[in-house]
Each structure stands twice: as structure tokens, then as C-alpha cells.
């Protein structure tokens, strides 16, 4: 499975990635309940021993470890689930890859509509589909039917409680009405936080679902155009939209409903396609269709944001981003991935550019497990492949600044 790429560390300098694991004891596992997190089935991912041998201290480069094929459509989203990496596609299939050998373990979700978004929480997997529905899968520790369909949102119970009352219907387009608990178009993004599920759709609405019984609690007319990205952090939910805005939502009032706390303005007439938030919730980054990444710093009360970063990250649209500690990774329609180091004040310094995909990079996911002085990065593309990269923590960096006439200038520094 391990592959090399041109201009990467030669085999003499960068030996084969060595992976070994300590099997988990079955007696130490918790019972298979809704609340029990899925951390391990066959071994504890945290117990893996990784070795990258004979790397000269002066050499800093990324490494392609695997190019995984198997999807019949473009790879649209990725998620980590215990020892597994899940990849979903426009071809309706969700493939489960087992780590560390990255072999195809199983497939699930056939025939349920193209998968647009994928998130995990505990022993549940939530998938959002082009058919405007959310599907909930329970991950079982038994060998049979590992990923089992648990429910579909809105649930039948939710429908039955609302379909008779006319006030529960909203106008979606001319001569068309739907229950307010239903999305009227593809669900493009999901987020999970504080026992709630958030869904954003091309129908411009943000919906809030309760995880305990999957009931839809709120439907918010959030934007003037399609919602492309969602992230929840520190009690705030951020929605990024094709209308060029990121909106921040927080619970307020006696009814504990979400209300608008702030608007983060992007570039005029530019779609914001993706969004990430730093672990402490202080920094928000949005990726735009003009190739820029913009960053905002929030105040201590989480009710005011100011622009602290405008970086020309790619030649064309930024389609996806993910954070790994002090590093931000961005994927683009230009088929490349850029790795950025976050500065103390929130600015971005490019450390490397990763090339290899034959189509636009649609999704990124970084593993929290540190590996040999770096981290694992997974990328999904419209070329139908999933690629696995090793990215070092320390690299030469390209400091992007602007000259007086606004022309970007690049200077190389080392960190």
C-alpha cells in the first residue's frame, strides 16, 4: 500500500513507515451502549507505535503513504471513527478503511442518495444526503453488521407529530410546501456538539436536532444562499455560505433557542466554501471561491470578531480545510493541498504544497495521533481517490506578504 512520490524523501533517507500495534483486551471494553464511544474494535489506535527511521534532521518534506481507490464516484467527505477512516462519495457508497494497514474493511449506505457530509459522535455515524435526509448509523462491536442503520431524520415519529397541523408547513418554493422539520434541498454539511446535531443545506436553512431522540428542535433561515460549511465550538455554531458570510449562532433567552450573535463578512460576491475554528475557539478561518483564506479573532465574550488574516492560499477556490494543532491544511480546486503554520496572532505561513491528486481536493481530515514527528493527513478528491500523507511538524515555510502595489511576494523562512 505504501507508495512514493516524485521529489519526496528518497528511500535511503526515509525508510518505510513501520506500524505495529498492541491488541486491546476484550475484557477492558465497555458495553455496547448508545453512550459508549467507539475507540477500538481490534486494538487501541493510541497504542500504535510508529517509526520513521533515518530522516536527516535538515530534511523536511511530506510523504505519500497510500493511494486508496474503490469509490465509484467523487470522494465528498471523510471522518475518523475509532480505528477506522470513513470516506463517502457522490456514488452513494461509504467505504470503511481499517488502520494501520489501510485495507478496505467494509462498505455501507448503498442506494441512499449521494453522500454530502459525514460526522461521527461516540458510537454513531451521521450521514447527510442529496435526498435531503440525515441517516444515523450505529457502530456495533459485534463482527456482523458493524455499521447498522438506526434511523432517518426527520424521524417517522417527528413526522406524525406535525403533519396534521397546517402551521407546521412552510413555503419552500412556488406551490410547494414542506414541514419545517424537513430540508428542501441537499444537506451539504453537518456538525455535532453538546448532544445536538446541526445540519446546513442548500435550502439556506440551519436545523438543530436533539441527539437523544433525533427530534428537530429548530429551523433557522440562516443565509441568503446555500450553506456550504458548519462547525461548532465553545457553544457557538458557525455557518459558512455562498452568500459570502459566516454567521455565528448561540443559545440565548428563556427558550434556549439559537440566535444570531455576529456576522463575519468575506470578500464581496465570493462564496465561502469551508470553515474551521481553533481548539480554543478564538480563531475562525473561512475558505473562499477566490482562493483566499480569511481569518477572524473573537473577543473574550464570543460576540465580536475582527479580521486578522487575508491570505491568497490557492490559485482558485478553496474547497476544504482542517486543523491539526498549530497547522491549517487547505484543499483546492487547483488539485493541491497547502499546509499552513498558524502564527501567534492568527496569521498564516505556508510550510509546504502537496500535489498528486488528479482532480480538485474536496475533503481533508487530519489524525490527532502524532506520527514520527508529524501527523497523518487524509485527502479525498473528485478523482475518486483517497490519499494518505505524512506531514512533518517542522518545514521550510513560504512567508506571504504584499508589496505596495498589492502583488503577493513570497520569501522563504524556516521554523
Amino acid at each position: 500500500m505504501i507508495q512514493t512520490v516524485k521529489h519526496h524523501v528518497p528511500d535511503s533517507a526515509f525508510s518505510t513507515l513501520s506500524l505495529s500495534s498492541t491488541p486491546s483486551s476484550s475484557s477492558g471494553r465497555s458495553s455496547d451502549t448508545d453512550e459508549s464511544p467507539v475507540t477500538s474494535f481490534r486494538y487501541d489506535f493510541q497504542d500504535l507505535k510508529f517509526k520513521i527511521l533515518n530522516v536527516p534532521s535538515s530534511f523536511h518534506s511530506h510523504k505519500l503513504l497510500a493511494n486508496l481507490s474503490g469509490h465509484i464516484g467523487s470522494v465528498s467527505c471523510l471522518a475518523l471513527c475509532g480505528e477506522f477512516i470513513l470516506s463517502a462519495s457522490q456514488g452513494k457508497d461509504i467505504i470503511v478503511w481499517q488502520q494501520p494497514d489501510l485495507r478496505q474493511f467494509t462498505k455501507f449506505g448503498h442506494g441512499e442518495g449521494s453522500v454530502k457530509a459525514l460526522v461521527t459522535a461516540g458510537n454513531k455515524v451521521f450521514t447527510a444526503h442529496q435526498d435531503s435526509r440525515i441517516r444515523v448509523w450505529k457502530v456495533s462491536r459485534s463482527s456482523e453488521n458493524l455499521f447498522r442503520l438506526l434511523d432517518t431524520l426527520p424521524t417517522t415519529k417527528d413526522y406524525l407529530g406535525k403533519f396534521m397541523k397546517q402551521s407546521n408547513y412552510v413555503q419552500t418554493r412556488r406551490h410547494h410546501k414542506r414541514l419545517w422539520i424537513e430540508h428542501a434541498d441537499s444537506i451539504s454539511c453537518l456538525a455535532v456538539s453538546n448532544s445536538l446535531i446541526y445540519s446546513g443545506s442548500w435550502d439556506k436553512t440551519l436545523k438543530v436536532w436533539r441527539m437523544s431522540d433525533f427530534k428537530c428542535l429548530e429551523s433557522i433561515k440562516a443565509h441568503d444562499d446555500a450553506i456550504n460549511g458548519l462547525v461548532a465550538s465553545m457553544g457557538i455554531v458557525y455557518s459558512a455560505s455562498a452568500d459570502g458570510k459566516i454567521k455565528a449562532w448561540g443559545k440565548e433567552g428563556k427558550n434556549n433557542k439559537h440566535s444570531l450573535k455576529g456576522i463575519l463578512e468575506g470578500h464581496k460576491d465570493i462564496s465561502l466554501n469551508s470553515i474551521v475554528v481553533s481548539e480554543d475557539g478564538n480563531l475562525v478561518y473561512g475558505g473562499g471561491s477566490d482562493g483566499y483564506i480569511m481569518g477572524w479573532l473573537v473577543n473574550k465574550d464570543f460576540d465580536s470578531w475582527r479580521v486578522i488574516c487575508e491570505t491568497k492560499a490557492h490559485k482558485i477556490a478553496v474547497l476544504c480545510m482542517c486543523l491539526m494543532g498549530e497547522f491549517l491544511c487547505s484543499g483546492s480546486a487547483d488539485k493541491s493541498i497547502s499546509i499552513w503554520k498558524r502564527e501567534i496572532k492568527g496569521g498564516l505561513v505556508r510550510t509546504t504544497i502537496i500535489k498528486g491528486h488528479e482532480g480538485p481536493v474536496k475533503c481533508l481530515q487530519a489524525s490527532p495521533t502524532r506520527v514520527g514527528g508529524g501527523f497523518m493527513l487524509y485527502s479525498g478528491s473528485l478523482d475518486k481517490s483517497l490519499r494518505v500523507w505524512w506531514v512533518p511538524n517542522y518545514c521550510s515555510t513560504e512567508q506571504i506578504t504584499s508589496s505596495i502595489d498589492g502583488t503577493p511576494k513570497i520569501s522563504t523562512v524556516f521554523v
Side-chain angles (χ1 to χ4, degrees):
M1 295 295 293
I2 297 180
Q3 302 179 0
T4 56
V5 267
K6 274 176 127 180
H7 311 303
H8 288 179
V9 188
D11 289 339
S12 59
F14 194 130
S15 67
T16 301
L17 190 66
S18 173
L19 306 176
S20 63
S21 64
T22 304
S24 296
S25 169
S26 59
S27 62
R29 296 174 182 170
S30 57
S31 60
D32 186 17
T33 64
D34 288 349
E35 290 75 25
S36 61
V38 177
T39 56
S40 174
F41 295 99
R42 301 186 176 182
Y43 57 84
D44 188 346
F45 189 63
Q46 297 299 324
D47 288 340
L48 290 176
K49 305 293 191 298
F50 295 89
K51 282 187 178 180
I52 299 177
L53 307 175
N54 304 322
V55 183
S57 59
S58 60
F59 199 100
H60 306 287
S61 179
H62 61 278
K63 181 79 171 179
L64 175 62
L65 301 180
N67 183 4
L68 308 179
S69 60
H71 283 291
I72 60 175
S74 305
V75 180
S76 55
C77 47
L78 299 169
L80 292 172
C81 183
E83 72 186 80
F84 301 115
I85 179 77
L86 309 182
S87 59
S89 83
Q90 303 292 347
K92 306 179 182 179
D93 54 326
I94 302 168
I95 296 181
V96 182
W97 308 91
Q98 176 133 30
Q99 303 185 87
D101 55 355
L102 299 172
R103 68 180 177 86
Q104 184 172 314
F105 183 77
T106 189
K107 285 186 178 183
F108 68 99
H110 302 287
E112 304 292 357
S114 297
V115 184
K116 299 293 187 181
L118 174 69
V119 294
T120 63
N123 65 345
K124 292 185 178 65
V125 177
F126 300 89
T127 56
H129 298 255
Q130 191 170 358
D131 64 6
S132 310
R133 309 294 294 275
I134 299 169
R135 288 173 176 83
V136 186
W137 309 83
K138 185 176 181 180
V139 188
S140 171
R141 288 177 174 79
S142 63
S143 59
E144 295 182 12
N145 206 14
L146 187 63
F147 292 82
R148 176 174 61 87
L149 182 62
L150 190 63
D151 218 329
T152 301
L153 311 187
T155 64
T156 302
K157 183 178 179 180
D158 222 353
Y159 272 117
L160 294 176
K162 293 180 174 64
F163 85 98
M164 290 292 289
K165 196 173 182 179
Q166 285 300 311
S167 60
N168 286 324
Y169 288 82
V170 294
Q171 193 87 27
T172 56
R173 57 184 186 272
R174 190 177 181 184
H175 305 311
H176 285 82
K177 286 187 176 184
R178 282 179 179 257
L179 288 172
W180 65 266
I181 61 175
E182 298 179 273
H183 278 296
D185 208 334
S186 295
I187 301 173
S188 54
C189 45
L190 294 170
V192 176
S193 179
N194 296 328
S195 299
L196 296 173
I197 309 158
Y198 299 92
S199 59
S201 170
W202 292 350
D203 67 8
K204 311 172 190 177
T205 68
L206 167 66
K207 296 191 189 298
V208 185
W209 314 77
R210 189 164 55 205
M211 197 178 295
S212 60
D213 58 2
F214 306 134
K215 182 179 180 179
C216 188
L217 303 178
E218 299 178 60
S219 181
I220 303 167
K221 295 180 180 178
H223 288 274
D224 297 324
D225 208 332
I227 298 176
N228 295 323
L230 279 178
V231 65
S233 174
M234 309 298 288
I236 306 295
V237 181
Y238 297 90
S239 55
S241 170
D243 64 12
K245 297 179 177 66
I246 292 173
K247 293 188 177 182
W249 310 88
K251 286 186 176 183
E252 288 184 357
K254 293 180 180 179
N255 60 7
N256 209 26
K257 300 288 187 182
H258 288 79
S259 61
L260 185 63
K261 292 182 68 70
I263 299 176
L264 290 62
E265 295 275 0
H267 292 163
K268 187 177 179 182
D269 299 324
I270 295 300
S271 171
L272 287 171
N273 301 323
S274 58
I275 180 173
V276 291
V277 179
S278 61
E279 189 175 347
D280 59 11
N282 291 334
L283 294 167
V284 180
Y285 294 96
S289 59
D290 57 355
Y292 274 82
I293 295 177
M294 294 188 66
W296 292 265
L297 178 68
V298 65
N299 67 0
K300 63 179 181 179
D301 296 321
F302 290 92
D303 59 7
S304 178
W305 293 260
R306 64 181 177 87
V307 176
I308 45 87
C309 169
E310 290 185 62
T311 302
K312 180 64 174 177
H314 293 272
K315 295 178 182 178
I316 50 180
V318 178
L319 300 180
C320 54
M321 297 186 296
C322 71
L323 283 173
M324 174 46 58
E326 61 185 348
F327 291 94
L328 184 150
C329 310
S330 60
S332 170
D334 66 12
K335 307 177 185 179
S336 74
I337 301 166
S338 284
I339 311 297
W340 307 85
K341 190 174 187 295
R342 292 190 292 123
E343 296 179 309
I344 294 175
K345 295 183 180 180
L348 297 174
V349 180
R350 179 153 38 206
T351 65
T352 191
I353 298 175
I354 299 175
K355 296 183 178 180
H357 277 293
E358 297 175 1
V361 180
K362 186 65 175 64
C363 47
L364 292 170
Q365 177 70 59
S367 171
T369 303
R370 294 291 178 173
V371 182
F375 61 92
M376 306 283 279
L377 179 66
Y378 307 88
S379 59
S381 168
L382 300 191
D383 64 13
K384 304 180 184 179
S385 75
L386 167 64
R387 298 196 178 211
V388 185
W389 313 86
W390 176 82
V391 180
N393 289 340
Y394 303 99
C395 306
S396 60
T397 65
E398 292 177 344
Q399 175 72 60
I400 299 181
T401 57
S402 296
S403 61
I404 296 175
D405 63 1
T407 304
K409 300 172 92 175
I410 299 177
S411 58
T412 301
V413 296
F414 291 86
V415 295

